[in-house]
Amino acid sequence: MQEYSITYKTENHYENNADDAHWQFLIIPEENESQEFVEIKFSNSLNVLNQFSINGYGFKTIRVNPKQKFNFISFEGNFKVIKKEINPFVSDFSQSITSDYQLIKSHSFKIDYDLYLRETSLTTLPRENNKDYIFDENIPIFDNLQNLNKWVFDILTFKTNVTDVDTVLDEIITSKTGVCQDYTHLFCALSRINGIATRYVSGYINQGNGYFGDSQMHAWAEAYVPNFGWLGFDPTNNLLALTSHIKVCDGKDYNDCSPLKGIVYALGENKTSYTVQVSSQQQ
């Protein structure tokens, strides 16, 4: 097991006083079968009351609404999580290849997992690219997903400041560059085209291993593997998302998982910066 200490900080500077503001943070690690909470702390420089709530997908959010004028505010979240290891390689996926493909093609499966089989504006490929990666039904779904993970890793080059959170796959395919959300959107699109229910995941990654995307919040995918369940794939690093990945939330794409959403009523320019620090120790 690994124990992680996570510090999330953001600072907001405004040229003129803000009259009103509403923020929602989606940055608290999820509690699940592989993650156990140790500590959650969150503060802001105005000492405004933090309101904790649950969003429509069932994940914990923090809402902040200052009642006074301000031209600067900072936020800091501190979280401690124990991460337990899950090993998918103990499963023998070769024993149920035919029945697994029959399952994902069944009407009941498509109804049950419809939300994560849909195309979205950020996971829609140009029509000519819909067959860029077709699963081989002679091998297990798990093997196909691992191969897709490597394919996305190989076809794209990690490069910051060339895309933003609204960049569509048409542009990603053309430029063949991007950051973790772009890799994840491409993985989700091709996985869903092949009938696999796939979720976009936002979270943190161990900063001690030199992974791509470790300087801020990270993104990866979770695909539903029959006879196992949801399993994480990190195409940015060609890894399975296991002990080194701390999940916060999931959704259809980045829009469901944005770490920070807000409205600020202020004139003039503003400047926002944020940092993420993740450290770990063996339990």
Side-chain angles (χ1 to χ4, degrees):
M1 295 191 296
Q2 293 279 114
E3 180 178 312
Y4 286 96
S5 295
I6 302 160
T7 301
Y8 174 103
K9 293 182 179 180
T10 183
E11 294 186 349
N12 301 286
H13 299 259
Y14 301 93
E15 183 179 359
N16 298 293
N17 278 341
D19 295 320
D20 193 14
H22 299 264
W23 288 283
Q24 176 182 280
F25 291 86
L26 189 50
I27 59 173
I28 300 174
E30 180 191 38
E31 189 167 18
N32 56 41
E33 62 179 0
S34 71
Q35 292 180 185
E36 178 182 326
F37 283 135
V38 177
E39 183 179 75
I40 301 174
K41 293 180 180 178
F42 189 80
S43 61
N44 64 78
S45 59
L46 297 179
N47 294 316
V48 178
L49 177 67
N50 302 311
Q51 298 177 314
F52 291 82
S53 60
I54 304 295
N55 71 5
Y57 284 89
F59 298 105
K60 294 181 179 180
T61 66
I62 307 165
R63 297 175 185 268
V64 184
N65 174 213
K67 301 298 183 182
Q68 70 262 45
K69 294 180 183 293
F70 62 93
N71 58 21
F72 170 79
I73 187 170
S74 64
F75 304 90
E76 180 171 335
N78 296 280
F79 315 109
K80 288 188 177 180
V81 177
I82 293 175
K83 185 77 181 184
K84 304 170 186 175
E85 188 165 358
I86 293 178
N87 182 9
F89 295 99
V90 299
S91 301
D92 185 0
F93 297 107
S94 65
Q95 298 299 310
S96 57
I97 294 176
T98 300
S99 60
D100 288 350
Y101 285 103
Q102 288 175 343
L103 172 66
I104 67 169
K105 293 175 182 178
S106 68
H107 186 62
S108 60
F109 181 87
K110 292 177 181 179
I111 291 175
D112 291 343
Y113 293 92
D114 170 69
L115 187 65
Y116 300 109
L117 290 165
R118 299 178 191 174
E119 287 186 341
T120 70
S121 60
L122 294 173
T123 61
T124 299
L125 282 166
R127 187 174 298 276
E128 62 269 23
N129 295 107
N130 277 359
K131 296 185 178 180
D132 277 358
Y133 194 91
I134 302 299
F135 278 18
D136 177 0
E137 295 191 8
N138 294 305
I139 65 174
I141 288 173
F142 175 65
D143 293 0
N144 272 304
L145 288 165
Q146 283 192 288
N147 293 341
L148 173 59
N149 210 37
K150 185 177 187 305
W151 186 89
V152 175
F153 173 80
D154 287 340
I155 199 173
L156 298 182
T157 298
F158 188 87
K159 190 174 183 180
T160 59
N161 302 317
V162 295
T163 61
D164 57 37
V165 296
D166 298 315
T167 302
V168 295
L169 286 179
D170 196 349
E171 297 175 49
I172 303 302
I173 291 292
T174 301
S175 69
K176 291 185 168 56
T177 58
V179 290
C180 55
Q181 71 256 21
D182 305 309
Y183 282 75
T184 303
H185 285 145
L186 180 56
F187 181 97
C188 287
L190 289 167
S191 182
R192 291 171 187 171
I193 284 170
N194 282 279
I196 307 300
T198 310
R199 309 190 291 210
Y200 180 104
V201 178
S202 176
Y204 307 98
I205 190 171
N206 191 337
Q207 291 179 330
N209 296 322
Y211 296 134
F212 289 121
D214 69 353
S215 62
Q216 297 182 339
M217 289 195 72
H218 192 50
W220 60 93
E222 284 180 345
Y224 186 84
V225 180
N227 294 306
F228 184 86
W230 294 100
L231 181 60
F233 294 84
D234 181 354
T236 310
N237 295 289
N238 188 27
L239 295 170
L240 293 182
L242 299 172
T243 312
S244 293
H245 294 67
I246 304 101
K247 179 179 176 179
V248 167
C249 63
D250 63 61
K252 301 183 298 300
D253 58 25
Y254 174 86
N255 288 330
D256 291 336
C257 299
S258 174
L260 176 58
K261 294 180 179 180
I263 299 174
V264 179
Y265 298 91
L267 298 175
E269 296 182 355
N270 68 80
K271 182 180 179 181
T272 299
S273 62
Y274 86 93
T275 60
V276 171
Q277 293 181 316
V278 181
S279 60
S280 68
Q281 62 182 29
Q282 196 79 27
Q283 284 285 300

